[in-house]
Amino acid sequence: MSDRDPPFRPDRRRLLTGAAAAGGALIGARMAMAQTAAGTPDPAIVNLPPWTRYLGDGVDARPYGMPSQYEAHVVRRHVPWLTADPISSVNFTPLHELDGIITPNGLCFERHHGGIAEIDPAQHRLMINGLVHRPLVFTMQDILRFPRENRIYFLECAANTGMEWAGAQLNGCQYTHGMIHNVMYTGVPLRLLLEEAGLKGSATWILAEGADAAAMTRSIPIEKAMDDCLVAFRMNGEALRPEQGYPLRLVVPGWEGNMWIKWLRRIEVGDQPWGQREETSKYTDTLADGRSRRHTWVMDAKSVITNPSPQAPIRTGPGPVVLTGVAWSGRGTIPRVDVTLDGGINWHRARISGPSLDKSMHRFYFEFDWDGRPLLLQSRAHDSTGYVQPTKEALRAIRGENSIYHNNGIQTWAVNEAGEAENVEIS
Amino acid sequence: MSRFPEPLTLFGLAAAGTGALLGSALLVANALHDPGPDPAEFPPLSGAAWAQDAAGAPAERQEDVASADMTASPLPAENPAPSREGGYGLGREALPEEIAAWDIDVRPDGQGLPPGSGDVMTGEALFVERCATCHGDFGEGAGRWPQLAGGFGTLDSEDPVKTVGSFWPYLSTAIDYIHRAMPFGDAQSLTADETYAITAYILYLNDLVDEDFALSPETFASVRMPNAEGFFDDDRDVTELALFSGEPCMEACKDSVEITMRATVLDVTPDDGLAPAEATAGGAEASAAAEAAPATEPATEPAAEPAAEAAADPAAEPVAEPPSVEADAPASAPDMALVAAGEQLFRRRCASCHEVGEGARTRTGPVLNGVVGRPIASAEGFGYSRVLEDAGAAGRVWSVEELAAYLADPRGAMPGTRMAFQGLRSEEEIAAVIAFLQSHPE
């Protein structure tokens, strides 16, 4: 479009130069321009912009719609030093760029152990074997003939915030808290598939297995399998994305993301856990005395302020600020979130807006007038069981600093006079 | 043998399973459908009942929330998908051969161990050939790849070293995982004997067996894993929930607050993969981290990786051009398509060890910028296999022909190479990868 609009080019270049010079966000630069233009007519108003004068793309120019070109920075990102290679690795959801409770499919963080399996659904099978009256094989067509449910759940990697156990390390909620997403799943209750095969009386565990190059496996107690697990084929209305397990993934509400087997190809029913690599050498929580907790499935209540945060500083100076963040619990809903601006001397109740659903992300806001002085921002989630998100120190007192997983401690952002935010720990 | 079939057998079964047999099998399956378990034998548990067991307090179900706790729009009550007495009659019975092809798991009690045997000496040779590139000849681990041996007595230290010997509670886990997912990038290619041999060598590296040990279902139970008793079931309900519950302080909770640690001191946050030029073009995000970082920030990490990942993922590429635009591209399109295909292949088959592009460096494998046409074994700082060093010393260069032969059959073209790669399947793939490498000069 800009190719057809030579008159627009200087304007755009000037705008972008301004952004680069400010070293900050495009939006920040725009705001600055609007402010410095006070007293003189705003060129954004008095100049006829090309999008008002000329026609734009017609329908079907974008058969699968994508975000505005001005949102190109809103992407998943990874931390190269974290893993040996980018295939068995993880990237992070840009929480600071999102609002509401639903994560767009293309921004849901990825964690693969053998890369993305690109599976033709016509070639995909789901097998149920083991302690069942009749071992079964389902095609995707079979799966689509079972009754479905729609449920909104968060999926959090057990290692989310794991890099912060020994202290403040990564600057940005995308990196400290971005191993989470929250989408609506459409799927068949796993219960119906297990009933179809007929559980034997000795059945107490299932093993879920993926079709990827890690053949990912996790043991899950049968009570959970028969309770609320789904075999999902859609997320947010459309087919699962390949990186999220297309064509089938297991949904294990409230429990650590590693158990939500992607590219699900097999459910084995047994009478004891399988002690697989991902539930022994990994995803166990080593305490200070060297012993390790295992089967730590439930994700504890947790919250984080997404704005302001290191990647999303206050660019507008003193005055009204919309502080916002997300909270969730693997044990239920989030009836309450507290927020502090002064490092925990005084707390305020935040406002939750949007659906409050079991084992789903909640969105909270706390609007305040910033006086321009430094802030120490924290949020504290309460869940429907009465659990209150602990401080990192309280967690370390019990778990030490080497448990890697399940760090749900309260996060602190220090905001300086310029509005820039930094990941810190406080007394 | 049945649980660890040769790859060819496995492929044959998979192919057969996709055929026209399915239709008739489905009919038969429907006719024979089992009524399923007696509901009394295994009653479905309600969400509330089960959650109470786990958490020690009742969890609200979604319908309760909808009626009692909604702060915004009300939601309709959740109507669970109904069970049907006797099931829905969907799916077909799994054949024994199909179950054998997929049911490869091995349990701590030994259930699932395939017939076979492998000894330490055989395992050493296999390990050096198939595993050492990433894990090191002695299981010490290369780069950030996992260390497999040693680490005893470190679990309660500041820096626990978790290896098969020091940490893994079950021997079955190693056997299962090595066959299931190793070698990285060539999963389920090891036979049962090879799996036993490699596992035996790893046990030997950990001083858990003697050098004449052979691992098999018969000797499996004789191996004692040192950390077998080092695990206990999740006890957060008992040790934490009470501590982390109750009404917290809301006002005047402490006298003063001080910052005790700052992330910027460490300076390990990625620069978000946006070089200055990109930032100008795409609208950089405000990164306080980048601003707070010292001006002398060294380019220690390649910025090319996040960009490459994002570029290969349509979902993460919001500014992707619509297909119609690409169709208008000039005559160089086939080359670009080949390069793009090569990039895809490279990412999947090569990138776990090799880097290419801006900021690329030698990691597990040598950096490949400018590899086409350069002398063999000439990347600085990489310890090459003897055969490659000899080839380089003899003046051989990575011509297209040399590279093609090497990529087709690494160990055939360079006997003794330590590159743990099976080779690319087709000439098309080889041409694509070489075209991709050619697009990245020194």
Side-chain angles (χ1 to χ4, degrees):
Chain A
M1 184 163 147
S2 59
D3 289 344
R4 283 193 274 127
D5 300 325
F8 178 51
R9 280 188 161 173
D11 281 344
R12 182 157 179 264
R13 191 171 297 138
R14 179 151 28 98
L15 183 66
L16 292 166
T17 307
L26 192 56
I27 289 171
R30 276 175 169 157
M31 302 276 189
M33 278 185 72
Q35 280 164 7
T36 56
T40 55
D42 185 348
I45 296 173
V46 297
N47 292 353
L48 181 63
W51 52 83
T52 305
R53 179 169 181 181
Y54 303 113
L55 301 175
D57 285 344
V59 296
D60 281 359
R62 307 167 197 202
Y64 191 99
M66 288 292 177
S68 160
Q69 60 179 308
Y70 303 107
E71 298 294 317
H73 57 290
V74 182
V75 291
R76 300 177 284 216
R77 300 184 188 283
H78 86 295
V79 178
W81 55 262
L82 205 56
T83 52
D85 79 314
I87 292 171
S88 181
S89 191
V90 64
N91 62 15
F92 302 87
T93 304
L95 294 175
H96 59 295
E97 297 284 357
L98 303 176
D99 216 319
I101 67 166
I102 296 295
T103 314
N105 288 341
L107 295 177
C108 291
F109 83 96
E110 304 170 80
R111 170 68 169 117
H112 314 310
H113 294 75
I116 300 169
E118 303 273 3
I119 298 178
D120 175 356
Q123 303 295 313
H124 193 66
R125 304 288 180 270
L126 175 64
M127 179 187 290
I128 298 182
N129 73 304
L131 297 177
V132 293
H133 291 299
R134 217 165 55 88
L136 290 175
V137 171
F138 299 108
T139 63
M140 287 303 294
Q141 286 179 321
D142 295 330
I143 299 293
L144 295 173
R145 296 173 71 190
F146 280 94
R148 306 165 196 176
E149 290 180 3
N150 292 300
R151 297 282 188 155
I152 299 176
Y153 292 122
F154 75 84
L155 181 163
E156 183 184 16
C157 177
N160 198 21
T161 322
M163 293 83 82
E164 305 290 309
W165 271 111
Q169 181 158 240
L170 287 161
N171 241 335
C173 69
Q174 179 167 18
Y175 302 113
T176 57
H177 289 76
M179 287 191 228
I180 187 168
H181 54 68
N182 200 64
V183 310
M184 176 180 281
Y185 295 96
T186 304
V188 178
L190 177 56
R191 165 178 54 84
L192 294 186
L193 302 180
L194 293 173
E195 286 172 354
E196 199 73 15
L199 292 177
K200 292 185 174 173
S202 53
T204 50
W205 290 81
I206 67 161
L207 181 75
E209 180 179 78
D212 59 322
M216 175 60 70
T217 37
R218 282 298 299 259
S219 304
I220 300 170
I222 198 80
E223 293 87 349
K224 181 70 172 176
M226 293 295 285
D227 176 16
D228 57 1
C229 290
L230 297 177
V231 174
F233 42 87
R234 297 194 187 280
M235 55 193 292
N236 292 335
E238 65 177 358
L240 294 172
R241 292 291 172 86
E243 62 271 33
Q244 301 299 341
Y246 179 89
L248 277 184
R249 99 171 297 167
L250 192 62
V251 171
V252 190
W255 288 17
E256 61 189 18
N258 183 255
M259 306 175 82
W260 300 45
I261 300 297
K262 301 190 280 190
W263 312 289
L264 181 70
R265 77 168 193 182
R266 192 169 69 94
I267 302 283
E268 183 172 351
V269 181
D271 57 7
Q272 57 178 270
W274 279 261
Q276 295 283 287
R277 189 238 194 191
E278 307 296 326
E279 54 206 20
T280 54
S281 87
K282 306 289 177 184
Y283 302 95
T284 50
D285 312 354
T286 301
L287 306 188
D289 66 3
R291 295 181 313 136
S292 300
R293 278 181 181 153
R294 64 170 188 178
H295 298 164
T296 47
W297 302 310
V298 177
M299 300 309 294
D300 292 314
K302 187 167 171 179
S303 68
V304 66
I305 294 170
T306 56
N307 308 78
S309 67
Q311 295 162 290
I314 303 174
R315 284 287 173 204
T316 46
V321 169
V322 174
L323 180 155
T324 185
V326 284
W328 60 93
S329 170
R331 294 190 180 87
T333 58
I334 300 288
R336 171 179 162 192
V337 176
D338 304 326
V339 165
T340 177
L341 306 181
D342 57 14
I345 297 174
N346 294 301
W347 293 83
H348 317 273
R349 285 211 185 197
R351 184 172 58 88
I352 293 175
S353 175
S356 172
L357 300 173
D358 185 37
K359 303 178 182 70
S360 165
M361 251 189 202
H362 293 57
R363 171 63 59 175
F364 67 85
Y365 297 97
F366 181 72
E367 296 86 0
F368 68 101
D369 282 344
W370 185 36
D371 60 9
R373 288 190 292 181
L375 304 167
L376 291 171
L377 306 180
Q378 295 181 329
S379 62
R380 180 172 68 194
H382 300 239
D383 78 13
S384 48
T385 71
Y387 179 98
V388 183
Q389 185 181 1
T391 63
K392 290 180 179 174
E393 277 316 304
L395 280 180
R396 289 179 188 129
I398 296 173
R399 305 190 197 166
E401 296 183 1
N402 281 321
S403 61
I404 301 175
Y405 306 101
H406 294 280
N407 185 347
N408 68 317
I410 291 172
Q411 174 65 45
T412 311
W413 306 126
V415 178
N416 65 18
E417 293 90 339
E420 294 159 338
E422 182 186 356
N423 177 11
V424 302
E425 298 218 0
I426 59 174
S427 60
Chain B
M1 187 57 226
S2 62
R3 284 171 184 271
F4 280 51
E6 293 297 328
L8 271 178
T9 317
L10 190 61
F11 181 76
L13 283 172
T18 64
L21 270 174
L22 267 185
S24 55
L26 184 62
L27 291 176
V28 174
N30 288 345
L32 294 176
H33 198 266
D34 186 290
D38 183 342
E41 179 181 312
F42 205 92
L45 297 173
S46 78
W50 194 81
Q52 189 158 14
D53 289 339
E60 293 174 77
R61 300 182 65 188
Q62 262 176 291
E63 55 263 48
D64 301 331
V65 172
S67 59
D69 198 33
M70 291 307 303
T71 53
S73 59
L75 295 185
E78 230 5 282
N79 296 307
S83 297
R84 182 184 283 184
E85 186 71 34
Y88 284 85
L90 296 170
R92 63 164 175 88
E93 195 140 7
L95 302 176
E97 302 93 314
E98 293 172 331
I99 295 172
W102 275 8
D103 187 356
I104 56 173
D105 47 71
V106 183
R107 271 190 347 191
D109 63 359
Q111 188 189 84
L113 284 170
S117 176
D119 61 35
V120 170
M121 298 305 281
T122 308
E124 179 178 16
L126 282 165
F127 189 91
V128 168
E129 183 186 333
R130 307 294 304 275
C131 320
T133 307
C134 295
H135 295 295
D137 280 357
F138 304 102
E140 72 275 17
R144 289 191 61 84
W145 295 105
Q147 180 177 341
L148 302 182
F152 294 97
T154 65
L155 296 182
D156 60 354
S157 74
E158 218 168 90
D159 188 17
V161 178
K162 298 180 177 179
T163 72
V164 176
S166 70
F167 190 64
W168 291 34
Y170 309 122
L171 176 56
S172 59
T173 310
I175 298 169
D176 177 289
Y177 183 71
I178 289 167
H179 174 251
R180 171 182 300 281
M182 291 290 116
F184 193 60
D186 196 17
Q188 300 186 22
S189 64
L190 296 169
T191 65
D193 288 351
E194 288 172 334
T195 304
Y196 282 126
I198 290 170
T199 309
Y201 180 63
I202 294 169
L203 293 173
Y204 173 74
L205 291 176
N206 281 288
D207 291 327
L208 298 178
V209 298
D210 295 327
E211 63 184 9
D212 57 358
F213 178 76
L215 181 60
S216 68
E218 290 69 41
T219 61
F220 170 80
S222 70
V223 180
R224 195 188 137 297
M225 300 297 277
N227 196 40
E229 305 304 317
F231 293 79
F232 61 99
D233 280 338
D234 186 5
D235 64 351
R236 284 177 291 171
D237 285 3
V238 177
T239 55
E240 296 184 5
L241 283 192
L243 275 177
F244 298 159
S245 295
E247 178 60 33
C249 173
M250 291 294 284
E251 284 180 24
C253 301
K254 43 190 170 184
D255 296 332
S256 64
V257 180
E258 285 181 17
I259 292 175
T260 55
M261 188 174 190
R262 293 175 175 273
T264 44
V265 173
L266 279 171
D267 190 22
V268 291
T269 309
D271 62 3
D272 286 348
L274 291 176
E278 290 174 279
T280 308
E285 61 184 306
S287 169
E291 287 175 18
T296 55
E297 182 184 14
T300 51
E301 294 295 339
E305 276 183 21
E309 259 191 29
D313 181 354
E317 185 67 290
V319 292
E321 295 290 332
S324 58
V325 174
E326 289 190 13
D328 294 338
S332 64
D335 285 342
M336 289 317 292
L338 195 63
V339 169
E343 180 173 4
Q344 289 286 333
L345 280 165
F346 185 88
R347 281 187 67 248
R348 291 195 353 228
R349 308 295 305 277
C350 320
S352 61
C353 296
H354 291 286
E355 287 188 359
V356 71
E358 194 179 337
R361 57 185 184 148
T362 289
R363 296 183 77 159
T364 306
V367 64
L368 294 183
N369 288 342
V371 67
V372 182
R374 84 181 174 199
I376 289 175
S378 61
E380 274 183 34
F382 184 76
Y384 283 96
S385 314
R386 169 67 69 83
V387 63
L388 290 167
E389 283 192 345
D390 289 349
R396 287 162 68 185
V397 298
W398 283 124
S399 64
V400 170
E401 293 72 25
E402 287 268 21
L403 208 47
Y406 190 51
L407 290 175
D409 180 11
R411 286 187 208 101
M414 293 286 180
T417 180
R418 286 184 40 183
M419 184 168 79
F421 181 61
Q422 298 304 295
L424 292 167
R425 274 165 294 201
S426 69
E427 287 182 17
E428 288 78 11
E429 288 183 341
I430 292 167
V433 168
I434 292 177
F436 171 68
L437 292 173
Q438 280 175 320
S439 72
H440 288 86
E442 189 67 54

